[in-house]
Amino acid sequence: MSDRVLTPETLLPRDEPVRLIAPDGTAEADQHYPMPDLAHLRDAYRALVEGRRINDQASALVRQGRLAVYPSSHGQEACQVAASLVLGERDWLFPTYRDSVAVIGRGVNPADAMVLLAGDWHSGYDPTEHRVAPQATPLATQLLHAVGFAQAAKYRGEDTVVLALCGDGATSEGDFHEALNFAAVFAIPVVFFVQNNEFAISVPLSRQSAAPSLAHKAVGYGIPGQRVDGNDVAAVLSVLGDAVDRARAGEGPSLIEAHTYRMQAHTNADDDTRYRERAEVQAWIERDPLTRIRAYLTAHDALDTATEDRIAADAERIAADLRAALNADTDLDPEDLFRFVTTDRTPQLDEQWQMLRDEIARGAASDAVSPTGGSR
């Protein structure tokens, strides 16, 4: 336990988000949060480049019909990268559907991370191998899972820290309140990391919360809250790292709010031109996390053109492997939809499977009569 004294004043976040690197790449000193060293930041830059390339490749695969959906974190990669880098080998990540880059950052093969988004019935990877829970689609449910998991680890005497990701929209859910309240009362080692990208699909933050900031909600639970510039990977690393250290020291949960922006539509099923102006999106380009850290590293002689080219080439190879994996046809067994739901299949599930099997058989018979797909 540290000697930090928690009072209502120390629980409150700052008026302005913590920032260590300005959008133009210049450093900004902070009395509490140190600047990560250059080697650490160069690793983060590599992860940012790879994450951006994965995001853009996955979006292209949606347009080609190889992925059913891809909620891109384009523009939010600093949060994704930092969330994976601050965790230790024994820690766990509980991600949402938009956190594929963070999942991959924990060592999951990019193609495996896309299995669920391609429409398969499982998450595509072994959660216990990588210590990454399956990506949650329902809003905020993973926060409760994270708290329960961390509580179990605490009972076992482990020093595991759990980092639970969510978006600003999830903070409007009841699960958010229940997770934070329980974690606070029982001092559970969880870091709640809210990526505030300004929109819950089409609903702006101003229609979701009347609080001064989402991080201000922390004081209501008796835990520390902090705000951070979510497009400054150095600041996110420092603030999240501090919260992880605090949790590991037995000082309980924290709530971190990263201020960032969703640069693209919610998903391919969304038309963001109906609810936000292009000028607003354009303004955030100047705050891009990639250009910011590149400028800082270059100014400190920690990144040269040859290194940039090498990192870009490596990212391109990752994208090529992802394309090849998702362009390969897979042999799917429709019964898998029912095979692993319960240990013993219920009569209701068996009835559904028989209905689907009959539908498939009739479709196959119809195709045999009219193989070109003409009138039947």
Side-chain angles (χ1 to χ4, degrees):
M1 300 281 288
S2 77
D3 56 359
R4 275 188 270 192
V5 178
L6 297 182
T7 66
E9 290 72 25
T10 60
L11 296 178
L12 286 170
R14 295 183 182 179
D15 292 336
E16 297 295 329
V18 176
R19 189 165 72 183
L20 300 179
I21 301 177
D24 64 0
T26 57
E28 296 186 2
D30 189 281
Q31 291 185 338
H32 181 77
Y33 296 102
M35 178 75 80
D37 61 46
L38 289 172
H40 202 185
L41 290 178
R42 195 164 45 235
D43 290 343
Y45 171 75
R46 169 180 282 278
L48 279 168
V49 172
E50 294 175 353
R52 175 65 55 84
R53 188 66 189 91
I54 289 168
N55 269 330
D56 293 347
Q57 181 60 72
S59 295
L61 287 164
V62 171
R63 294 192 291 274
Q64 295 163 11
R66 307 309 299 190
L67 279 175
V69 66
Y70 184 72
S72 177
S73 61
H74 184 116
Q76 300 177 214
E77 291 94 345
C79 298
Q80 298 283 295
V81 166
S84 62
L85 288 179
V86 296
L87 293 178
E89 192 175 324
R90 296 186 301 278
D91 298 333
W92 273 74
L93 183 76
F94 277 68
T96 75
Y97 52 81
R98 198 179 298 283
D99 300 320
S100 297
V101 171
V103 170
I104 294 166
R106 291 286 287 169
V108 175
N109 183 294
D112 292 342
M114 301 296 163
V115 166
L116 185 69
L117 301 171
D120 217 321
W121 59 270
H122 58 85
S123 72
Y125 55 86
D126 180 357
T128 59
E129 179 184 356
H130 301 285
R131 295 181 176 255
V132 179
Q135 291 178 264
T137 300
L139 288 187
T141 54
Q142 78 282 358
L143 304 181
L144 290 167
H145 303 161
V147 170
F149 190 95
Q151 185 187 28
K154 183 179 178 182
Y155 280 150
R156 290 193 294 265
E158 300 168 356
D159 65 348
T160 302
V161 174
V162 175
L163 194 153
L165 291 155
C166 71
D168 45 287
T171 66
S172 300
E173 297 286 331
D175 288 3
F176 175 84
H177 161 72
E178 294 165 15
L180 268 73
N181 192 58
F182 192 98
V185 170
F186 294 97
I188 306 297
V190 178
V191 177
F192 298 99
F193 184 33
V194 180
Q195 294 172 85
N196 173 9
N197 66 14
E198 299 288 338
F199 288 94
I201 306 183
S202 60
V203 181
L205 182 64
S206 61
R207 300 295 299 273
Q208 300 177 59
S209 175
S213 77
L214 298 177
H216 275 81
K217 294 174 183 271
V219 69
Y221 301 103
I223 65 175
Q226 190 54 279
R227 308 170 68 191
V228 62
D229 184 333
N231 285 16
D232 175 3
V233 71
V236 184
L237 282 168
S238 192
V239 171
L240 273 186
D242 183 74
V244 169
D245 291 345
R246 183 177 178 279
R248 203 181 309 283
E251 298 179 42
S254 303
L255 173 62
I256 309 298
E257 177 189 10
H259 294 265
T260 183
Y261 194 77
R262 197 192 73 215
M263 296 299 294
Q264 299 179 346
H266 175 66
T267 67
N268 47 305
D270 174 41
D271 178 7
D272 67 324
T273 63
R274 300 181 64 181
Y275 55 83
R276 63 181 182 181
E277 300 295 331
R278 292 304 90 187
E280 177 184 318
V281 179
Q282 187 69 25
W284 276 86
I285 292 177
E286 298 177 1
R287 301 172 64 176
D288 189 282
L290 250 174
T291 55
R292 185 185 307 201
I293 188 63
R294 181 189 293 125
Y296 177 83
L297 290 172
T298 302
H300 288 77
D301 297 324
L303 185 68
D304 55 27
T305 302
T307 304
E308 277 192 68
D309 292 345
R310 189 166 58 250
I311 290 173
D314 290 344
E316 194 54 47
R317 277 192 287 275
I318 292 172
D321 290 344
L322 181 58
R323 283 197 304 275
L326 292 180
N327 281 326
D329 290 328
T330 55
D331 187 17
L332 301 176
D333 183 350
E335 193 175 3
D336 282 350
L337 286 169
F338 307 92
R339 183 171 285 129
F340 306 112
V341 177
T342 55
T343 303
D344 298 316
R345 192 177 299 174
T346 65
Q348 292 81 8
L349 281 174
D350 195 56
E351 180 183 359
Q352 291 174 30
W353 163 232
Q354 296 306 327
M355 289 175 61
L356 177 60
R357 187 166 67 172
D358 180 63
E359 184 73 22
I360 293 171
R362 287 190 287 113
S366 179
D367 288 342
V369 173
S370 179
T372 59
S375 60
R376 297 173 178 172

Short mmCIF file of all heavy atoms in Angstrom, two decimals, residues 27-85:
data_model
loop_
_atom_site.label_atom_id
_atom_site.label_comp_id
_atom_site.label_asym_id
_atom_site.label_seq_id
_atom_site.Cartn_x
_atom_site.Cartn_y
_atom_site.Cartn_z
N ALA A 27 7.18 18.41 -26.26
CA ALA A 27 6.94 17.82 -24.95
C ALA A 27 6.29 18.82 -24.00
O ALA A 27 6.56 20.03 -24.07
CB ALA A 27 8.25 17.32 -24.36
N GLU A 28 5.44 18.31 -23.08
CA GLU A 28 4.84 19.13 -22.04
C GLU A 28 5.11 18.44 -20.71
O GLU A 28 4.63 17.32 -20.48
CB GLU A 28 3.34 19.30 -22.28
CG GLU A 28 3.00 20.05 -23.57
CD GLU A 28 1.52 20.34 -23.71
OE1 GLU A 28 0.76 19.98 -22.79
OE2 GLU A 28 1.13 20.91 -24.74
N ALA A 29 5.87 19.08 -19.85
CA ALA A 29 6.25 18.47 -18.58
C ALA A 29 5.04 18.36 -17.65
O ALA A 29 4.14 19.20 -17.67
CB ALA A 29 7.34 19.31 -17.91
N ASP A 30 5.03 17.30 -16.84
CA ASP A 30 3.96 17.09 -15.87
C ASP A 30 4.58 16.69 -14.54
O ASP A 30 5.51 15.87 -14.50
CB ASP A 30 3.02 15.98 -16.36
CG ASP A 30 1.76 15.88 -15.52
OD1 ASP A 30 1.81 15.29 -14.42
OD2 ASP A 30 0.72 16.40 -15.96
N GLN A 31 4.09 17.25 -13.46
CA GLN A 31 4.69 17.02 -12.14
C GLN A 31 4.42 15.61 -11.62
O GLN A 31 5.18 15.08 -10.82
CB GLN A 31 4.16 18.05 -11.14
CG GLN A 31 4.65 19.47 -11.40
CD GLN A 31 4.22 20.43 -10.32
OE1 GLN A 31 3.26 20.17 -9.60
NE2 GLN A 31 4.94 21.53 -10.19
N HIS A 32 3.34 14.99 -12.05
CA HIS A 32 2.98 13.68 -11.50
C HIS A 32 3.24 12.54 -12.47
O HIS A 32 3.67 11.45 -12.06
CB HIS A 32 1.51 13.67 -11.09
CG HIS A 32 1.07 12.36 -10.49
ND1 HIS A 32 1.37 11.98 -9.21
CD2 HIS A 32 0.38 11.32 -11.04
CE1 HIS A 32 0.88 10.77 -8.97
NE2 HIS A 32 0.27 10.34 -10.05
N TYR A 33 2.95 12.78 -13.75
CA TYR A 33 3.05 11.70 -14.73
C TYR A 33 4.33 11.86 -15.56
O TYR A 33 4.45 12.82 -16.33
CB TYR A 33 1.82 11.68 -15.63
CG TYR A 33 0.55 11.37 -14.88
CD1 TYR A 33 -0.34 12.39 -14.54
CD2 TYR A 33 0.26 10.06 -14.49
CE1 TYR A 33 -1.51 12.11 -13.83
CE2 TYR A 33 -0.90 9.77 -13.78
CZ TYR A 33 -1.78 10.80 -13.45
OH TYR A 33 -2.92 10.51 -12.74
N PRO A 34 5.30 10.94 -15.44
CA PRO A 34 6.56 11.08 -16.17
C PRO A 34 6.42 10.69 -17.63
O PRO A 34 5.56 9.88 -18.01
CB PRO A 34 7.48 10.11 -15.44
CG PRO A 34 6.57 9.05 -14.89
CD PRO A 34 5.29 9.77 -14.54
N MET A 35 7.30 11.26 -18.46
CA MET A 35 7.36 10.88 -19.88
C MET A 35 8.00 9.49 -19.99
O MET A 35 9.08 9.26 -19.44
CB MET A 35 8.21 11.90 -20.64
CG MET A 35 8.38 11.58 -22.12
SD MET A 35 6.90 11.91 -23.09
CE MET A 35 7.06 13.70 -23.28
N PRO A 36 7.37 8.53 -20.68
CA PRO A 36 8.02 7.23 -20.90
C PRO A 36 9.33 7.42 -21.67
O PRO A 36 9.50 8.39 -22.41
CB PRO A 36 6.98 6.47 -21.75
CG PRO A 36 5.67 7.13 -21.45
CD PRO A 36 6.00 8.57 -21.24
N ASP A 37 10.26 6.45 -21.49
CA ASP A 37 11.55 6.61 -22.17
C ASP A 37 11.40 6.38 -23.68
O ASP A 37 10.39 5.86 -24.16
CB ASP A 37 12.60 5.67 -21.58
CG ASP A 37 12.22 4.20 -21.71
OD1 ASP A 37 11.80 3.78 -22.81
OD2 ASP A 37 12.35 3.45 -20.73
N LEU A 38 12.43 6.78 -24.42
CA LEU A 38 12.34 6.78 -25.89
C LEU A 38 12.17 5.37 -26.46
O LEU A 38 11.45 5.17 -27.44
CB LEU A 38 13.59 7.44 -26.47
CG LEU A 38 13.67 8.96 -26.27
CD1 LEU A 38 15.03 9.49 -26.71
CD2 LEU A 38 12.55 9.68 -27.03
N ALA A 39 12.83 4.39 -25.85
CA ALA A 39 12.68 3.01 -26.35
C ALA A 39 11.24 2.54 -26.22
O ALA A 39 10.68 1.89 -27.12
CB ALA A 39 13.63 2.09 -25.59
N HIS A 40 10.63 2.87 -25.09
CA HIS A 40 9.23 2.50 -24.86
C HIS A 40 8.31 3.20 -25.86
O HIS A 40 7.38 2.60 -26.42
CB HIS A 40 8.85 2.87 -23.42
CG HIS A 40 7.67 2.12 -22.90
ND1 HIS A 40 7.10 2.36 -21.67
CD2 HIS A 40 6.94 1.12 -23.45
CE1 HIS A 40 6.09 1.56 -21.49
NE2 HIS A 40 5.96 0.80 -22.54
N LEU A 41 8.59 4.46 -26.12
CA LEU A 41 7.77 5.21 -27.06
C LEU A 41 7.97 4.74 -28.50
O LEU A 41 7.03 4.76 -29.31
CB LEU A 41 8.09 6.71 -26.95
CG LEU A 41 7.63 7.38 -25.65
CD1 LEU A 41 8.04 8.85 -25.63
CD2 LEU A 41 6.11 7.26 -25.48
N ARG A 42 9.18 4.29 -28.82
CA ARG A 42 9.41 3.75 -30.18
C ARG A 42 8.63 2.44 -30.36
O ARG A 42 8.08 2.19 -31.42
CB ARG A 42 10.90 3.55 -30.42
CG ARG A 42 11.24 3.34 -31.89
CD ARG A 42 12.72 3.53 -32.16
NE ARG A 42 13.53 2.85 -31.18
CZ ARG A 42 14.49 3.45 -30.46
NH1 ARG A 42 14.73 4.73 -30.61
NH2 ARG A 42 15.20 2.77 -29.58
N ASP A 43 8.57 1.63 -29.31
CA ASP A 43 7.73 0.42 -29.38
C ASP A 43 6.26 0.79 -29.57
O ASP A 43 5.54 0.13 -30.33
CB ASP A 43 7.88 -0.40 -28.08
CG ASP A 43 9.24 -1.05 -27.95
OD1 ASP A 43 9.96 -1.15 -28.98
OD2 ASP A 43 9.60 -1.45 -26.82
N ALA A 44 5.84 1.83 -28.88
CA ALA A 44 4.45 2.28 -29.03
C ALA A 44 4.19 2.79 -30.45
O ALA A 44 3.13 2.55 -31.02
CB ALA A 44 4.16 3.37 -28.00
N TYR A 45 5.19 3.49 -31.02
CA TYR A 45 5.03 3.98 -32.40
C TYR A 45 4.85 2.81 -33.36
O TYR A 45 3.99 2.82 -34.24
CB TYR A 45 6.25 4.81 -32.81
CG TYR A 45 6.26 5.18 -34.27
CD1 TYR A 45 5.43 6.17 -34.77
CD2 TYR A 45 7.08 4.49 -35.17
CE1 TYR A 45 5.41 6.48 -36.11
CE2 TYR A 45 7.08 4.79 -36.51
CZ TYR A 45 6.24 5.78 -36.98
OH TYR A 45 6.22 6.08 -38.33
N ARG A 46 5.68 1.78 -33.21
CA ARG A 46 5.55 0.60 -34.07
C ARG A 46 4.14 0.00 -33.94
O ARG A 46 3.49 -0.32 -34.93
CB ARG A 46 6.60 -0.46 -33.71
CG ARG A 46 6.37 -1.81 -34.37
CD ARG A 46 7.41 -2.81 -33.97
NE ARG A 46 8.66 -2.61 -34.70
CZ ARG A 46 8.89 -3.05 -35.93
NH1 ARG A 46 7.94 -3.71 -36.59
NH2 ARG A 46 10.04 -2.84 -36.52
N ALA A 47 3.68 -0.14 -32.72
CA ALA A 47 2.35 -0.71 -32.49
C ALA A 47 1.25 0.18 -33.09
O ALA A 47 0.24 -0.32 -33.59
CB ALA A 47 2.11 -0.91 -31.00
N LEU A 48 1.46 1.50 -33.04
CA LEU A 48 0.49 2.42 -33.64
C LEU A 48 0.43 2.25 -35.16
O LEU A 48 -0.66 2.21 -35.75
CB LEU A 48 0.87 3.87 -33.32
CG LEU A 48 0.47 4.40 -31.94
CD1 LEU A 48 1.17 5.72 -31.67
CD2 LEU A 48 -1.04 4.59 -31.87
N VAL A 49 1.60 2.15 -35.79
CA VAL A 49 1.64 1.98 -37.25
C VAL A 49 0.96 0.66 -37.65
O VAL A 49 0.14 0.62 -38.58
CB VAL A 49 3.10 2.00 -37.76
CG1 VAL A 49 3.16 1.64 -39.23
CG2 VAL A 49 3.71 3.38 -37.53
N GLU A 50 1.28 -0.39 -36.91
CA GLU A 50 0.67 -1.69 -37.22
C GLU A 50 -0.84 -1.66 -36.95
O GLU A 50 -1.63 -2.21 -37.73
CB GLU A 50 1.35 -2.78 -36.40
CG GLU A 50 2.81 -3.00 -36.78
CD GLU A 50 3.53 -4.00 -35.90
OE1 GLU A 50 2.94 -4.44 -34.88
OE2 GLU A 50 4.70 -4.32 -36.20
N GLY A 51 -1.23 -1.03 -35.85
CA GLY A 51 -2.65 -0.94 -35.53
C GLY A 51 -3.43 -0.17 -36.58
O GLY A 51 -4.54 -0.56 -36.97
N ARG A 52 -2.87 0.94 -37.06
CA ARG A 52 -3.54 1.74 -38.09
C ARG A 52 -3.70 0.91 -39.38
O ARG A 52 -4.74 0.92 -40.02
CB ARG A 52 -2.74 3.01 -38.36
CG ARG A 52 -3.25 3.90 -39.50
CD ARG A 52 -4.64 4.50 -39.20
NE ARG A 52 -4.68 5.24 -37.96
CZ ARG A 52 -4.30 6.53 -37.82
NH1 ARG A 52 -3.90 7.20 -38.88
NH2 ARG A 52 -4.39 7.14 -36.65
N ARG A 53 -2.64 0.17 -39.72
CA ARG A 53 -2.70 -0.63 -40.95
C ARG A 53 -3.74 -1.75 -40.82
O ARG A 53 -4.46 -2.06 -41.78
CB ARG A 53 -1.31 -1.22 -41.26
CG ARG A 53 -1.24 -1.89 -42.62
CD ARG A 53 -1.42 -0.90 -43.75
NE ARG A 53 -1.56 -1.57 -45.04
CZ ARG A 53 -2.74 -1.92 -45.55
NH1 ARG A 53 -3.87 -1.66 -44.89
NH2 ARG A 53 -2.80 -2.50 -46.73
N ILE A 54 -3.80 -2.37 -39.65
CA ILE A 54 -4.80 -3.42 -39.41
C ILE A 54 -6.21 -2.83 -39.49
O ILE A 54 -7.11 -3.42 -40.11
CB ILE A 54 -4.55 -4.09 -38.04
CG1 ILE A 54 -3.27 -4.93 -38.10
CG2 ILE A 54 -5.75 -4.94 -37.62
CD1 ILE A 54 -2.77 -5.37 -36.74
N ASN A 55 -6.41 -1.68 -38.88
CA ASN A 55 -7.72 -1.04 -38.94
C ASN A 55 -8.16 -0.80 -40.38
O ASN A 55 -9.29 -1.13 -40.78
CB ASN A 55 -7.67 0.31 -38.21
CG ASN A 55 -8.04 0.19 -36.73
OD1 ASN A 55 -8.82 -0.68 -36.35
ND2 ASN A 55 -7.48 1.05 -35.92
N ASP A 56 -7.27 -0.22 -41.18
CA ASP A 56 -7.65 0.13 -42.55
C ASP A 56 -7.81 -1.12 -43.42
O ASP A 56 -8.68 -1.16 -44.30
CB ASP A 56 -6.60 1.08 -43.14
CG ASP A 56 -6.63 2.43 -42.43
OD1 ASP A 56 -7.59 2.70 -41.68
OD2 ASP A 56 -5.68 3.22 -42.61
N GLN A 57 -6.99 -2.14 -43.16
CA GLN A 57 -7.14 -3.38 -43.92
C GLN A 57 -8.45 -4.08 -43.58
O GLN A 57 -9.16 -4.57 -44.47
CB GLN A 57 -5.96 -4.32 -43.64
CG GLN A 57 -6.03 -5.62 -44.42
CD GLN A 57 -6.02 -5.38 -45.92
OE1 GLN A 57 -5.00 -5.00 -46.49
NE2 GLN A 57 -7.16 -5.59 -46.58
N ALA A 58 -8.80 -4.12 -42.32
CA ALA A 58 -10.04 -4.77 -41.91
C ALA A 58 -11.25 -4.04 -42.49
O ALA A 58 -12.22 -4.67 -42.92
CB ALA A 58 -10.13 -4.82 -40.38
N SER A 59 -11.21 -2.71 -42.52
CA SER A 59 -12.32 -1.95 -43.12
C SER A 59 -12.46 -2.29 -44.61
O SER A 59 -13.58 -2.40 -45.12
CB SER A 59 -12.08 -0.45 -42.94
OG SER A 59 -12.12 -0.11 -41.56
N ALA A 60 -11.33 -2.45 -45.29
CA ALA A 60 -11.37 -2.83 -46.71
C ALA A 60 -11.96 -4.23 -46.88
O ALA A 60 -12.72 -4.49 -47.83
CB ALA A 60 -9.97 -2.76 -47.32
N LEU A 61 -11.64 -5.13 -45.96
CA LEU A 61 -12.16 -6.50 -46.05
C LEU A 61 -13.67 -6.54 -45.83
O LEU A 61 -14.36 -7.42 -46.36
CB LEU A 61 -11.45 -7.39 -45.03
CG LEU A 61 -9.99 -7.73 -45.41
CD1 LEU A 61 -9.23 -8.28 -44.21
CD2 LEU A 61 -9.96 -8.73 -46.56
N VAL A 62 -14.20 -5.59 -45.07
CA VAL A 62 -15.66 -5.49 -44.93
C VAL A 62 -16.28 -5.14 -46.28
O VAL A 62 -17.27 -5.75 -46.72
CB VAL A 62 -16.04 -4.44 -43.88
CG1 VAL A 62 -17.54 -4.18 -43.90
CG2 VAL A 62 -15.62 -4.89 -42.49
N ARG A 63 -15.69 -4.16 -46.96
CA ARG A 63 -16.22 -3.74 -48.27
C ARG A 63 -16.12 -4.86 -49.30
O ARG A 63 -16.90 -4.92 -50.25
CB ARG A 63 -15.47 -2.50 -48.76
CG ARG A 63 -15.72 -1.27 -47.89
CD ARG A 63 -15.21 0.00 -48.57
NE ARG A 63 -13.75 0.03 -48.65
CZ ARG A 63 -12.96 0.49 -47.68
NH1 ARG A 63 -13.48 0.95 -46.55
NH2 ARG A 63 -11.65 0.49 -47.82
N GLN A 64 -15.17 -5.77 -49.12
CA GLN A 64 -15.01 -6.91 -50.04
C GLN A 64 -15.85 -8.11 -49.63
O GLN A 64 -15.80 -9.15 -50.29
CB GLN A 64 -13.52 -7.30 -50.08
CG GLN A 64 -12.62 -6.22 -50.66
CD GLN A 64 -11.15 -6.44 -50.34
OE1 GLN A 64 -10.77 -7.50 -49.84
NE2 GLN A 64 -10.34 -5.43 -50.60
N GLY A 65 -16.61 -7.99 -48.55
CA GLY A 65 -17.48 -9.07 -48.12
C GLY A 65 -16.77 -10.18 -47.36
O GLY A 65 -17.35 -11.24 -47.12
N ARG A 66 -15.52 -9.96 -46.95
CA ARG A 66 -14.79 -11.00 -46.22
C ARG A 66 -14.98 -10.88 -44.71
O ARG A 66 -14.67 -11.80 -43.97
CB ARG A 66 -13.30 -10.96 -46.56
CG ARG A 66 -12.99 -11.00 -48.03
CD ARG A 66 -13.69 -12.14 -48.75
NE ARG A 66 -13.32 -13.47 -48.25
CZ ARG A 66 -13.65 -14.60 -48.83
NH1 ARG A 66 -14.42 -14.59 -49.92
NH2 ARG A 66 -13.28 -15.76 -48.33
N LEU A 67 -15.43 -9.74 -44.23
CA LEU A 67 -15.80 -9.55 -42.83
C LEU A 67 -17.25 -9.06 -42.79
O LEU A 67 -17.66 -8.26 -43.64
CB LEU A 67 -14.90 -8.51 -42.16
CG LEU A 67 -13.52 -8.94 -41.66
CD1 LEU A 67 -12.74 -7.74 -41.14
CD2 LEU A 67 -13.64 -9.99 -40.56
N ALA A 68 -18.01 -9.55 -41.80
CA ALA A 68 -19.40 -9.11 -41.68
C ALA A 68 -19.48 -7.67 -41.20
O ALA A 68 -20.34 -6.89 -41.62
CB ALA A 68 -20.14 -10.04 -40.72
N VAL A 69 -18.56 -7.31 -40.32
CA VAL A 69 -18.58 -5.97 -39.73
C VAL A 69 -17.20 -5.71 -39.13
O VAL A 69 -16.49 -6.64 -38.77
CB VAL A 69 -19.67 -5.89 -38.63
CG1 VAL A 69 -19.33 -6.79 -37.45
CG2 VAL A 69 -19.89 -4.46 -38.14
N TYR A 70 -16.80 -4.43 -39.09
CA TYR A 70 -15.57 -4.09 -38.38
C TYR A 70 -15.72 -2.71 -37.74
O TYR A 70 -15.69 -1.70 -38.43
CB TYR A 70 -14.36 -4.09 -39.31
CG TYR A 70 -13.07 -3.84 -38.53
CD1 TYR A 70 -12.55 -4.82 -37.70
CD2 TYR A 70 -12.42 -2.61 -38.58
CE1 TYR A 70 -11.41 -4.60 -36.95
CE2 TYR A 70 -11.27 -2.39 -37.84
CZ TYR A 70 -10.77 -3.39 -37.03
OH TYR A 70 -9.63 -3.17 -36.27
N PRO A 71 -15.91 -2.67 -36.42
CA PRO A 71 -15.94 -1.38 -35.72
C PRO A 71 -14.49 -0.88 -35.59
O PRO A 71 -13.75 -1.32 -34.72
CB PRO A 71 -16.55 -1.74 -34.36
CG PRO A 71 -17.06 -3.16 -34.50
CD PRO A 71 -16.18 -3.80 -35.52
N SER A 72 -14.11 0.04 -36.43
CA SER A 72 -12.71 0.48 -36.49
C SER A 72 -12.35 1.41 -35.33
O SER A 72 -13.16 2.23 -34.90
CB SER A 72 -12.46 1.20 -37.82
OG SER A 72 -11.14 1.70 -37.86
N SER A 73 -11.12 1.28 -34.86
CA SER A 73 -10.59 2.22 -33.86
C SER A 73 -9.64 3.21 -34.52
O SER A 73 -8.77 3.77 -33.85
CB SER A 73 -9.87 1.46 -32.74
OG SER A 73 -8.76 0.72 -33.23
N HIS A 74 -9.80 3.43 -35.84
CA HIS A 74 -8.96 4.40 -36.56
C HIS A 74 -9.03 5.76 -35.85
O HIS A 74 -10.10 6.33 -35.67
CB HIS A 74 -9.48 4.53 -38.01
CG HIS A 74 -8.63 5.42 -38.85
ND1 HIS A 74 -7.93 4.98 -39.95
CD2 HIS A 74 -8.35 6.75 -38.76
CE1 HIS A 74 -7.28 5.97 -40.50
NE2 HIS A 74 -7.52 7.07 -39.79
N GLY A 75 -7.86 6.27 -35.46
CA GLY A 75 -7.80 7.53 -34.72
C GLY A 75 -7.73 7.32 -33.22
O GLY A 75 -7.34 8.22 -32.48
N GLN A 76 -8.13 6.13 -32.75
CA GLN A 76 -8.10 5.82 -31.32
C GLN A 76 -6.96 4.86 -30.98
O GLN A 76 -6.94 4.29 -29.89
CB GLN A 76 -9.43 5.19 -30.88
CG GLN A 76 -10.65 6.05 -31.10
CD GLN A 76 -11.94 5.36 -30.70
OE1 GLN A 76 -12.98 5.57 -31.31
NE2 GLN A 76 -11.90 4.51 -29.67
N GLU A 77 -6.03 4.68 -31.90
CA GLU A 77 -5.02 3.63 -31.70
C GLU A 77 -4.12 3.88 -30.50
O GLU A 77 -3.58 2.92 -29.92
CB GLU A 77 -4.16 3.48 -32.97
CG GLU A 77 -4.88 2.88 -34.17
CD GLU A 77 -5.45 3.94 -35.09
OE1 GLU A 77 -5.53 5.12 -34.65
OE2 GLU A 77 -5.79 3.61 -36.24
N ALA A 78 -3.95 5.12 -30.08
CA ALA A 78 -3.10 5.37 -28.90
C ALA A 78 -3.69 4.70 -27.67
O ALA A 78 -2.96 4.14 -26.84
CB ALA A 78 -2.95 6.88 -28.66
N CYS A 79 -5.00 4.74 -27.54
CA CYS A 79 -5.67 4.06 -26.41
C CYS A 79 -5.51 2.56 -26.53
O CYS A 79 -5.24 1.87 -25.53
CB CYS A 79 -7.15 4.42 -26.39
SG CYS A 79 -7.51 6.17 -26.17
N GLN A 80 -5.66 2.04 -27.74
CA GLN A 80 -5.55 0.60 -27.95
C GLN A 80 -4.15 0.10 -27.61
O GLN A 80 -3.99 -0.91 -26.92
CB GLN A 80 -5.86 0.29 -29.42
CG GLN A 80 -7.26 0.68 -29.86
CD GLN A 80 -8.29 -0.31 -29.37
OE1 GLN A 80 -8.27 -1.47 -29.77
NE2 GLN A 80 -9.16 0.13 -28.48
N VAL A 81 -3.17 0.79 -28.13
CA VAL A 81 -1.77 0.39 -27.93
C VAL A 81 -1.38 0.48 -26.45
O VAL A 81 -0.78 -0.45 -25.89
CB VAL A 81 -0.85 1.26 -28.80
CG1 VAL A 81 0.60 1.12 -28.38
CG2 VAL A 81 -1.03 0.91 -30.27
N ALA A 82 -1.73 1.57 -25.82
CA ALA A 82 -1.35 1.75 -24.41
C ALA A 82 -2.02 0.71 -23.52
O ALA A 82 -1.40 0.19 -22.59
CB ALA A 82 -1.72 3.15 -23.95
N ALA A 83 -3.28 0.38 -23.83
CA ALA A 83 -4.00 -0.60 -23.00
C ALA A 83 -3.29 -1.96 -23.01
O ALA A 83 -3.29 -2.68 -22.01
CB ALA A 83 -5.43 -0.75 -23.49
N SER A 84 -2.71 -2.32 -24.14
CA SER A 84 -2.02 -3.61 -24.21
C SER A 84 -0.61 -3.53 -23.63
O SER A 84 -0.14 -4.49 -23.03
CB SER A 84 -1.97 -4.11 -25.65
OG SER A 84 -1.25 -3.22 -26.48
N LEU A 85 0.05 -2.39 -23.78
CA LEU A 85 1.45 -2.29 -23.35
C LEU A 85 1.62 -2.13 -21.83
O LEU A 85 2.67 -2.49 -21.29
CB LEU A 85 2.13 -1.10 -24.05
CG LEU A 85 2.42 -1.28 -25.54
CD1 LEU A 85 3.07 -0.02 -26.12
CD2 LEU A 85 3.33 -2.49 -25.78
#
